[in-house]
Amino acid sequence: MMIQSCGLIAPPSWTQGQQDDLQCVALANQAVLSLRERKFQAQLREYSFTTSSTSTRYAPPLDSLGIVPDTMWMQSSIWKVDFPTDPTVWAYLRASAGPSGVQIRARIIQNAIEIWQPQDGISIGYEYYTKNCVFGYDAGFDPPIGVPKELFTTDQDTHLFDGLLLIADIKWRYKKEKGFSDWQVDFEAFKAQLNAVMGRDAGAK
């Protein structure tokens, strides 16, 4: 659809095509990497882990792009996890010898969730945004959506973004790359579509 709107003909294969075709795939992946930073509702996922008194560090999911604020809770109670704990409070806890109280306190340190003085067997859950916004094709499923991944690699791959938004994003990038004089018109159209999608997303929260 994007390529036809530029007056061109789509090739038999994008990922196995000529240099121009591969360039379109690269531009599509640029669009994916840019759009995912907007953190749309479709990227929301849930994750939980269980604490141990012998470990203070817990790795987030491999596809995590960021934790949704105010969603970290102790799943067996009504207690909310203090995340991210204020740096001054964290520094005070490290300097003190006593426990932090009933509330669990946590921060992200070196790409891991650091829990202050964790106890055994506490289940903590939270929401996060996935960075894997592309899906491979798998005929064994209905719809045939397979393993999520970061980038387009085959012609059958699908994605979780608004379709018109992704097309608009690729289109202005393509026209700018190819030297079309009116690429800024398409960029403005992309921004208008982005604002519309983000408005719908905000209303869905």
Side-chain angles (χ1 to χ4, degrees):
M1 183 175 179
M2 180 281 298
I3 204 74
Q4 287 90 335
S5 67
C6 296
L8 303 173
I9 299 175
S13 172
W14 291 104
T15 55
Q16 303 296 324
Q18 303 300 316
Q19 185 62 36
D20 280 355
D21 308 329
L22 297 177
Q23 186 179 48
C24 284
V25 176
L27 292 173
N29 284 331
Q30 287 181 24
V32 167
L33 293 176
S34 176
L35 286 175
R36 75 181 188 181
E37 296 299 325
R38 301 285 180 172
K39 297 179 179 176
F40 295 102
Q41 290 287 310
Q43 294 173 249
L44 281 178
R45 302 290 184 268
E46 294 182 343
Y47 182 71
S48 64
F49 62 94
T50 302
T51 61
S52 168
S53 60
T54 61
S55 177
T56 62
R57 296 175 60 80
Y58 302 87
L62 294 177
D63 67 323
S64 178
L65 188 63
I67 296 175
V68 181
D70 301 320
T71 63
M72 190 175 288
W73 292 79
M74 296 169 57
Q75 295 189 318
S76 60
S77 72
I78 61 172
W79 287 100
K80 182 179 177 181
V81 177
D82 179 23
F83 175 86
T85 299
D86 185 273
T88 57
V89 174
W90 194 264
Y92 167 78
L93 291 172
R94 295 183 64 182
S96 66
S100 63
V102 175
Q103 189 173 30
I104 294 179
R105 303 184 187 273
R107 293 188 68 197
I108 293 290
I109 298 178
Q110 296 180 349
N111 298 319
I113 299 172
E114 185 84 16
I115 304 291
W116 180 257
Q117 295 183 347
Q119 302 175 31
D120 287 324
I122 297 178
S123 180
I124 295 177
Y126 62 86
E127 294 180 356
Y128 71 96
Y129 293 101
T130 181
K131 64 182 180 182
N132 291 343
C133 300
V134 175
F135 298 92
Y137 179 88
D138 192 329
F141 292 89
D142 185 19
I145 297 175
V147 177
K149 54 187 177 180
E150 292 191 61
L151 302 173
F152 291 110
T153 58
T154 72
D155 290 356
Q156 292 78 28
D157 290 342
T158 58
H159 59 87
L160 57 70
F161 300 113
D162 174 86
L164 293 178
L165 177 62
L166 183 61
I167 289 172
D169 198 350
I170 299 171
K171 184 177 180 181
W172 79 261
R173 294 175 187 275
Y174 177 85
K175 295 182 78 171
K176 182 181 180 182
E177 186 72 22
K178 293 301 183 181
F180 285 72
S181 60
D182 62 344
W183 71 268
Q184 291 181 325
V185 175
D186 296 282
F187 182 57
E188 292 301 320
F190 158 71
K191 290 196 294 183
Q193 182 67 18
L194 176 61
N195 288 335
V197 172
M198 293 188 70
R200 292 200 302 268
D201 244 40
K205 292 181 179 180

